[in-house]
Amino acid sequence: MFDELSQCTTRVLADTYSMTDISVEWDVSGSVEHGDVSTSIALRLATKIGKSPRDIAQVICTAIGMLPFVERSELAGPGFVNVWFTVKELLRQAQISVSYSEPMTVRTKEAPVIVEYSQPNIAKPLGAHHLLSTIIGQAIANMHRHAGYHVLTWNYTGDWGTQFGKLAVSYRRWGDDRPVKEYSIDELLNLYVRFHKETEKDISLEGEGRAAFRKLEEGDAELRAFWRDVVSITKSSLSALYDRLHVHFDTDISESFYEGKMQPILEEGVKKGVFTEGEEGALIVEFPEDTHLPPYMVRKSDGATLYATRDLAQMRYRIDIYHPESILICTDRAQELHFRQLIATCQKLQWVLPHFCNVLVGRMRFADATMSTRKGTIIRLERILDEAVGRAMSIIKDRGDLIQTDDPKALAEMMGVGSVVYGIVSQNRNADITFDWEKFLHFDGNSAPYLQYTYARARSVVRKGEWNGSPTDALETENFTGHERDLVNTLIQFPRVLEEARMEYMPHILAQYLFLLCQRFNAFYNSDAILRSSPIERERRLFLTSSTASLLKTGGELLCLRFPESM
Ligand code: ARG
């Protein structure tokens, strides 16, 4: 329908004014008084054509008015064309839209899209700020998989580096007699914090930490065993958290894996003249002045490799083994320069790269001052989730009979975790992301509880109406109310919005849509009787209600949210 509308407009512009290669946008209008869609193309082309915008709009309006699915078209204001579709067509479009709530079959034979996110540094518990890349990355992966892409999700944890040397020193000096295997993740964190405290008094500890890491790199058996234990403690504590967040990784091949894969790359770079000797024997990459990129170090003067070196090896490995169509790496903005240097280095090495995007996310800001002032210490993600669930539980209790559930505990988990997840994923990742309990748990705002409540409400109507899911022709005979029309106009946007959010790697676009869908549904629900209306209206309204529920659930789940059947 949208394609036909654009084609018809293009054709009439070509036939009447010999205007070719014009792309015509039809915008969804904010309210039905201005049509289901409208265009301002006549205003844009007036000078070029040399006619008044209203004349041009009239020509378009007449042509569009003849399309079989158009009920009415209107010339408005200085030269807008407003178009209303037939009820039949709107309902047909809504059915198409609902079919998009089913995932496409995954095209497993195609080259994969690698989506990397979360990537915490090991030996520390997951902090609140890790949520950003974790949730946004998962949502991007979900949207791609839903669209049939062969997706490979990847957690590239920082499981290698001097922090292990420091931890080993701290354990040797201040640990108790228990084997490290028996340490909890919190105890490991305490060791890490202790190390940093002690370094303030005794700077030589730093050197000791580095030396321990060098020994680990050289293969010292005891240190290797220590490292393995620390990695496994961290990974199991991580996996419990990921489960709660509905986050899943296909692979967690991490930094340590590339240990033996860097030497050939260093040799290749030297041979190609891309890596040159900097100060005291370090190897660096220099970039042309117009790139404004500072030099990139790939080997330290003491021969040690770096984060950058491992990332080069990681890129090479992914390309050679998976032949991906694209690589998306979701990180904090602070890594932007690193990835620009990395890609520029790959290009200098003349590697053939797949489509690459460093999907950047802003910083986490806390609306609650007490959360942001605890400087230096990590705000543990687990604590945040527990607090969210606690808060959700008190809301459930406070609301009493207004909330219906057989399992308040499960509902509190869904609401609480959901509120944090959705609170993040509904914000534009290009800006800083504000953590705000009030907003996140607000029942009437753009929040998880609002979406969940709307879903449960819609489902309850569908159950009571015993709606079997497939509309009949009877749907098409009567006209819509304004609220129905607003709702159906929102329903039919789903495929386009989803595709836009996926292509731009912007999950908040989908979230905004879901919020609007809920608002439109609730306005309709509050004003138009559903179950107690005439048989034809009843059937049509049940169809709209069940369509809302389907799209809400699919869209929300893509954003890592879960929905209760009653609430
Ligand atoms: N572990 C790193 C950090 O927390 C992020 C890793 C990003 N991914 C990458 N391929 N370098 O800073």
Side-chain angles (χ1 to χ4, degrees):
M1 175 182 75
F2 288 106
D3 288 346
E4 285 161 317
L5 202 60
S6 296
Q7 279 159 16
C8 172
T9 321
T10 323
R11 207 173 329 113
V12 71
L13 287 170
D15 292 352
T16 320
Y17 305 111
S18 310
M19 282 297 206
T20 47
D21 294 329
I22 306 282
S23 78
V24 183
E25 307 267 316
W26 282 92
D27 303 316
V28 182
S29 72
S31 93
V32 282
E33 288 136 57
H34 302 122
D36 296 318
V37 291
S38 69
T39 187
S40 58
I41 185 81
L43 291 158
R44 275 205 289 123
L45 291 181
T47 333
K48 233 180 175 175
I49 294 179
K51 286 255 159 39
S52 87
R54 280 186 66 92
D55 285 350
I56 303 168
Q58 187 56 60
V59 169
I60 298 173
C61 190
T62 311
I64 295 292
M66 285 185 314
L67 291 170
F69 51 82
V70 169
E71 186 178 273
R72 183 157 78 84
S73 62
E74 163 196 275
L75 163 63
F80 295 104
V81 181
N82 298 338
V83 173
W84 288 262
F85 300 119
T86 60
V87 170
K88 186 177 170 149
E89 180 64 15
L90 286 171
L91 287 167
R92 199 179 69 85
Q93 290 296 325
Q95 276 173 283
I96 295 175
S97 206
V98 172
S99 72
Y100 278 81
S101 63
E102 291 299 322
M104 306 267 189
T105 313
V106 173
R107 301 181 288 273
T108 41
K109 294 222 169 64
E110 277 182 11
V113 175
I114 292 178
V115 190
E116 188 208 292
Y117 49 97
S118 198
Q119 323 109 316
N121 290 331
I122 275 198
K124 293 189 203 169
L126 222 54
H129 60 283
H130 281 115
L131 258 179
L132 307 188
S133 152
T134 305
I135 299 298
I136 291 169
Q138 182 70 52
I140 291 171
N142 291 346
M143 292 191 291
H144 278 78
R145 199 168 271 152
H146 188 81
Y149 285 83
H150 175 194
V151 174
L152 193 72
T153 57
W154 201 309
N155 193 7
Y156 179 75
T157 56
D159 64 347
W160 203 241
T162 23
Q163 77 261 34
F164 287 94
K166 294 176 183 175
L167 202 61
V169 169
S170 189
Y171 173 68
R172 196 160 58 215
R173 287 182 173 241
W174 306 292
D176 51 37
D177 289 341
R178 286 173 305 150
V180 72
K181 249 203 218 58
E182 290 169 19
Y183 273 58
S184 70
I185 184 82
D186 288 305
E187 290 168 325
L188 286 179
L189 178 68
N190 289 342
L191 283 181
Y192 195 79
V193 170
R194 176 82 184 259
F195 182 89
H196 284 276
K197 267 218 188 90
E198 300 280 344
T199 343
E200 283 168 18
K201 289 179 256 163
D202 176 4
I203 190 75
S204 75
L205 281 170
E206 284 281 354
E208 212 178 299
R210 270 200 302 275
F213 179 60
R214 206 166 313 125
K215 262 178 86 184
L216 172 64
E217 277 188 301
E218 285 158 12
D220 180 276
E222 204 177 310
L223 282 165
R224 286 268 159 162
F226 173 84
W227 169 76
R228 259 193 306 275
D229 288 340
V230 170
V231 170
S232 98
I233 292 166
T234 316
K235 286 204 171 161
S236 56
S237 98
L238 280 178
S239 82
L241 271 170
Y242 288 143
D243 283 349
R244 278 181 92 179
L245 296 166
H246 309 290
V247 163
H248 171 79
F249 295 100
D250 299 316
T251 176
D252 65 353
I253 296 179
S254 301
E255 286 192 44
S256 64
F257 176 79
Y258 299 98
E259 216 201 323
K261 296 185 164 46
M262 289 178 279
Q263 199 48 41
I265 293 173
L266 289 174
E267 283 161 21
E268 177 187 341
V270 171
K271 210 167 113 209
K272 289 184 173 166
V274 176
F275 302 166
T276 51
E277 288 228 350
E279 273 165 51
E280 298 168 34
L283 277 184
I284 57 166
V285 186
E286 284 182 293
F287 304 100
E289 223 167 273
D290 61 355
T291 62
H292 303 291
L293 290 174
Y296 195 43
M297 195 189 284
V298 294
R299 197 186 65 198
K300 289 195 208 165
S301 53
D302 66 1
T305 55
L306 302 102
Y307 180 59
T309 333
R310 286 188 283 280
D311 254 340
L312 280 168
Q314 166 274 106
M315 288 294 275
R316 189 68 264 160
Y317 180 79
R318 288 177 185 174
I319 296 167
D320 291 344
I321 303 296
Y322 297 97
H323 310 289
E325 163 202 287
S326 29
I327 299 180
L328 314 177
I329 299 186
C330 192
T331 68
D332 187 295
R333 260 209 299 265
Q335 305 238 350
E336 185 178 8
L337 175 62
H338 161 74
F339 280 105
R340 284 176 47 215
Q341 290 170 306
L342 177 69
I343 294 304
T345 304
C346 294
Q347 282 160 347
K348 282 192 97 172
L349 289 165
Q350 289 172 324
W351 292 358
V352 180
L353 295 178
H355 166 69
F356 176 86
C357 183
N358 179 203
V359 179
L360 294 169
V361 298
R363 288 292 170 81
M364 179 94 109
R365 302 237 169 272
F366 292 94
D368 176 353
T370 58
M371 285 175 94
S372 55
T373 48
R374 280 187 269 162
K375 228 173 143 193
T377 56
I378 309 180
I379 304 175
R380 298 272 314 270
L381 177 56
E382 201 182 352
R383 302 251 161 84
I384 292 204
L385 295 185
D386 290 344
E387 175 163 356
V389 173
R391 285 175 184 250
M393 191 49 118
S394 7
I395 294 179
I396 294 173
K397 285 192 183 133
D398 288 351
R399 294 209 140 210
D401 287 346
L402 290 173
I403 287 195
Q404 288 155 11
T405 175
D406 316 327
D407 191 348
K409 250 180 104 184
L411 181 62
E413 172 78 14
M414 208 184 260
M415 262 170 75
V417 174
S419 69
V420 173
V421 163
Y422 184 80
I424 286 166
V425 87
S426 59
Q427 296 182 52
N428 184 333
R429 63 172 173 80
N430 282 332
D432 282 339
I433 293 196
T434 313
F435 192 103
D436 186 342
W437 284 123
E438 287 297 310
K439 264 208 199 125
F440 284 13
L441 280 156
H442 203 287
F443 240 81
D444 303 311
N446 187 7
S447 70
Y450 179 65
L451 265 61
Q452 289 165 329
Y453 190 73
T454 307
Y455 173 78
R457 169 181 266 181
R459 288 288 304 147
S460 142
V461 174
V462 170
R463 276 194 305 271
K464 281 188 201 138
E466 293 175 358
W467 167 250
N468 68 4
S470 49
T472 63
D473 290 347
L475 294 188
E476 294 151 11
T477 52
E478 273 175 58
N479 221 334
F480 279 142
T481 63
H483 289 299
E484 280 181 284
R485 198 155 192 126
D486 279 340
L487 177 57
V488 84
N489 262 318
T490 313
L491 289 169
I492 68 179
Q493 298 309 318
F494 182 73
R496 288 209 294 183
V497 171
L498 184 56
E499 187 57 5
E500 187 189 341
R502 182 191 68 77
M503 279 187 2
E504 315 251 323
Y505 315 133
M506 287 291 196
H508 82 287
I509 294 179
L510 177 58
Q512 263 167 2
Y513 168 81
L514 296 177
F515 179 46
L516 178 68
L517 182 62
C518 288
Q519 289 175 307
R520 293 266 160 101
F521 173 76
N522 285 317
F524 153 75
Y525 175 93
N526 289 327
S527 84
D528 299 352
I530 302 173
L531 298 176
R532 272 186 296 262
S533 50
S534 75
I536 292 170
E537 274 174 347
R538 183 178 192 275
E539 187 174 349
R540 188 175 69 215
R541 290 178 186 170
L542 277 169
F543 166 68
L544 295 179
T545 305
S546 101
S547 302
T548 302
S550 304
L551 297 188
L552 199 49
K553 184 166 194 298
T554 298
E557 285 183 354
L558 292 175
L559 302 178
C560 302
L561 207 59
R562 292 297 179 270
F563 291 89
E565 285 303 309
S566 56
M567 175 166 168

